[in-house]
Amino acid sequence: MFDVETKRQHMTDLMRYRRGLFVKPRLRNLFLELTMRCNENCIHCGSCCGEVTSEELPVEVYKRFLDEIKEDFGIKDKMLCITGGEPLLRKEFFEIMEYAHSLGFHWGMTSNGTLIDRECARKLKNAGMGTISISIDGLEATHDAFRRTPGGYKKAMQGISNLIEEGGFKNIQVTTVVTHQNIGELDALYEIFDKMDIDSWRVIGIEPMGRAKDYPELLLTAEDHKYILEFIRSKRIAGEPVCYGCSHYLGNEYEREVRDWYFLCISGIYTASITANGDIIGCLDIERRPETIQGNILKDRFKDVWENRFEFFRRDLSDLNEKCRDCSEKDFCHGDSFHSWDFDKNEPLLCFKDILF
């Protein structure tokens, strides 16, 4: 791939570019959490979704909001990322997304795939969906136990097949959350996905957040993390579309080896999110607390919030922690991802310098 000197130069350039974004952020990704309700009850869910009561914004609020986004920012280089919960549980899902499509927005979604029958796949294409990521978290027994959903694996795999048969989508991706218990199934999963006409496979590690904190036996060891990265690197060398998630600075050895570019937490500089109740935040995986919530679209115009608030996200987290401040990698790590920062202790939940190098 690249030698260490080239990587360090690339990451130095990226560090300078990122600091410029603190002053002049560029909105590219806008996440819409349509509901917190979900028909699965996953062990790792950072948002603790499931059979819960969820605030849901009226359709007219979404339409007004999308009108304002188009007016204030335009639609060029903008991506709507639709999520939940399970977004397809929102009964007005297609009304909202057909309206977004009529305005010219590009959009994709994350889903557990269990509700995507042939008719749903057709309606998703007609509503303009370009990309989708569907979760498969192990072989059948493992997936169903992890998601606490009997039959969930078969339904999700059928959902993927229905999308493939419908055709016309830009990227059908499978995402797998790797735990200490399912890591031994990666090779078997690769054999399955290799025979399917999917476009990419995203492999990510379970994070010590949300419900996962209640299952320490599932968290990854240092050896597990290294195994995952070596697995991904070997597939990419072979030309396979396997990638690591966007999270975490991985050091000289693995940066640029397991994903298309270098680590950059883009929360608040490229990315903003609207929660199910209308709160404006950086990334939806970030802990929701007064200092991370920047406003609410029920009372604030998003443009005003994006341009005049968000100071919380336009800085290096490393400045908040003495160990991080003194770290030789702080210019490239910046304190790592906002979603994996402990805001009570002001320290990262995961530090890959301690794990990988």
Side-chain angles (χ1 to χ4, degrees):
M1 297 267 186
F2 290 107
D3 58 58
V4 171
E5 184 178 346
T6 302
K7 288 182 178 181
R8 300 295 277 194
Q9 185 57 56
H10 286 168
M11 289 189 289
T12 299
D13 293 341
L14 185 60
M15 175 266 293
R16 293 169 179 155
Y17 177 71
R18 179 175 182 267
R19 288 179 179 171
L21 290 173
F22 290 167
V23 180
K24 293 184 178 181
R26 297 177 58 190
L27 182 67
R28 289 187 174 179
N29 308 304
L30 187 56
F31 283 78
L32 301 182
E33 180 185 68
L34 297 188
T35 183
M36 293 284 284
R37 294 181 294 120
C38 190
N39 58 336
E40 296 191 324
N41 190 24
C42 305
I43 285 173
H44 72 301
C45 185
S47 301
C48 298
C49 299
E51 293 183 5
V52 297
T53 300
S54 173
E55 296 181 77
E56 295 179 356
L57 298 174
V59 172
E60 293 309 312
V61 170
Y62 281 115
K63 290 182 177 180
R64 173 185 55 77
F65 171 72
L66 292 171
D67 287 339
E68 290 178 358
I69 294 297
K70 183 173 181 177
E71 178 183 346
D72 294 340
F73 296 92
I75 60 173
K76 183 180 179 181
D77 297 329
K78 303 296 183 295
M79 182 71 176
L80 299 180
C81 309
I82 310 305
T83 185
E86 171 49 53
L88 288 170
L89 284 177
R90 180 65 192 257
K91 65 179 182 179
E92 304 94 349
F93 174 88
F94 285 105
E95 182 180 356
I96 296 169
M97 298 323 303
E98 285 167 1
Y99 187 76
H101 183 46
S102 74
L103 294 177
F105 282 103
H106 297 287
W107 69 276
M109 67 181 290
T110 57
S111 172
N112 60 41
T114 61
L115 303 177
I116 303 177
D117 56 20
R118 289 299 303 275
E119 181 183 3
C120 181
R122 176 183 56 79
K123 291 173 69 175
L124 288 170
K125 183 171 73 174
N126 291 341
M129 186 185 78
T131 64
I132 187 169
S133 184
I134 292 179
S135 299
I136 300 292
D137 295 319
L139 300 175
E140 183 171 0
T142 302
H143 175 96
D144 288 358
F146 186 66
R147 294 189 156 255
R148 296 188 283 199
T149 308
Y153 176 89
K154 288 182 178 178
K155 291 178 181 177
M157 291 294 279
Q158 185 59 55
I160 296 169
S161 296
N162 291 336
L163 291 166
I164 292 171
E165 290 179 21
E166 180 64 36
F169 302 103
K170 183 178 180 181
N171 191 304
I172 298 173
Q173 180 184 79
V174 170
T175 293
T176 297
V177 175
V178 184
T179 73
H180 186 64
Q181 292 184 353
N182 72 1
I183 193 168
E185 298 180 358
L186 284 176
D187 286 311
L189 287 171
Y190 172 77
E191 293 301 321
I192 293 171
F193 300 147
D194 189 44
K195 296 179 174 64
M196 300 173 66
D197 190 21
I198 61 172
D199 297 289
S200 60
W201 181 26
R202 186 171 67 124
V203 179
I204 60 178
I206 191 171
E207 302 273 359
M209 53 187 285
R211 291 192 189 120
K213 291 187 292 187
D214 297 329
Y215 299 89
E217 70 277 8
L218 295 180
L219 299 182
L220 298 167
T221 65
E223 291 72 23
D224 291 338
H225 284 292
K226 292 175 184 176
Y227 180 88
I228 293 168
L229 296 175
E230 286 296 333
F231 174 86
I232 296 171
R233 178 157 65 178
S234 68
K235 298 305 180 190
R236 290 175 69 85
I237 289 172
E240 300 297 335
V242 183
C243 65
Y244 191 65
C246 63
S247 302
H248 308 307
Y249 171 66
L250 305 174
N252 288 331
E253 183 172 357
Y254 293 108
E255 282 296 329
R256 193 59 174 83
E257 306 282 325
V258 295
R259 51 194 169 208
D260 291 342
W261 197 236
Y262 299 91
F263 167 72
L264 178 68
C265 183
I266 58 177
S267 179
I269 54 177
Y270 276 162
T271 296
S273 304
I274 310 302
T275 68
N277 71 348
D279 283 342
I280 303 169
I281 195 170
C283 166
L284 285 170
D285 287 332
I286 295 171
E287 184 181 355
R288 299 169 194 190
R289 44 197 293 154
E291 62 267 42
T292 61
I293 296 170
Q294 305 300 296
N296 187 291
I297 64 170
L298 291 173
K299 60 183 179 65
D300 300 306
R301 191 171 181 110
F302 178 84
K303 182 176 186 288
D304 294 334
V305 175
W306 179 256
E307 293 181 349
N308 301 310
R309 302 184 200 175
F310 271 94
E311 296 93 345
F312 184 85
F313 295 101
R314 293 166 188 165
R315 60 176 177 168
D316 285 351
L317 287 168
S318 56
D319 292 338
L320 305 178
N321 178 276
E322 183 177 359
K323 181 180 177 182
C324 292
R325 274 199 310 272
D326 295 336
C327 178
S328 61
E329 302 297 306
K330 67 175 182 178
D331 286 341
F332 310 134
C333 173
H334 316 289
D336 211 75
S337 302
F338 271 88
H339 81 266
S340 58
W341 187 261
D342 187 325
F343 294 103
D344 293 316
K345 297 180 180 179
N346 269 332
E347 63 184 23
L349 294 170
L350 277 178
C351 176
F352 274 76
K353 185 178 180 185
D354 295 337
I355 294 170
L356 298 177
F357 58 97

